[in-house]
Amino acid sequence: MNLNSNAGIVKHWMEKAEQLVDPDSENQLRYVEEEFYELLHAWKNETRPEVIKEACDLLWVTYGLLHTLNVDPDQAFDRIAASNYSKFPFTKVEGKVQKGPDYEAPNLTDL
């Protein structure tokens, strides 16, 4: 258990709450949806601290979803980060970074 990463903290909490004994990915996905809409509401109607809280709650349940799928979120994130960095050099379209000539899609099939 790695309590030095957000994913490790969430996994530890889920183990203590017995949420990984019989993982329920469908239920966890509902939590992701709920927290997403709470973040949107906070963005439009609440203070900055409430937006921060809801954004972190969304991260929490997203890590939880990956844990219920038996995926190491840190390992998956590292691969996504490497893929995103491979977009350089890049161009932008409407402010969004586009894939450059050296782009490599992440390999997540073994996770």
Side-chain angles (χ1 to χ4, degrees):
M1 168 183 6
N2 179 7
L3 293 179
N4 294 320
S5 77
N6 293 338
I9 292 167
V10 172
K11 185 173 185 180
H12 181 254
W13 187 92
M14 291 180 80
E15 289 169 345
K16 287 208 163 274
E18 299 179 351
Q19 290 184 338
L20 296 178
V21 174
D22 185 22
D24 185 349
S25 297
E26 289 289 327
N27 200 39
Q28 196 68 31
L29 186 58
R30 282 191 287 278
Y31 297 154
V32 170
E33 181 180 36
E34 176 184 328
E35 293 300 339
F36 172 74
Y37 286 111
E38 288 179 10
L39 173 58
L40 288 179
H41 174 81
W43 182 262
K44 294 175 184 177
N45 303 294
E46 303 293 339
T47 62
R48 185 172 188 270
E50 188 63 23
V51 170
I52 294 167
K53 182 240 184 248
E54 296 303 340
C56 288
D57 282 350
L58 181 57
L59 288 171
W60 186 282
V61 296
T62 302
Y63 281 123
L65 175 63
L66 291 169
H67 286 307
T68 64
L69 296 171
N70 200 30
V71 171
D72 178 341
D74 290 326
Q75 191 175 29
F77 193 89
D78 287 348
R79 293 183 191 185
I80 297 296
S83 174
N84 283 342
Y85 273 97
S86 77
K87 292 178 181 180
F88 295 108
F90 63 88
T91 57
K92 282 188 180 181
V93 175
E94 297 180 6
K96 183 179 178 192
V97 171
Q98 303 299 300
K99 297 171 186 156
D102 297 327
Y103 173 74
E104 292 183 32
N107 179 2
L108 305 171
T109 56
D110 63 320
L111 298 180

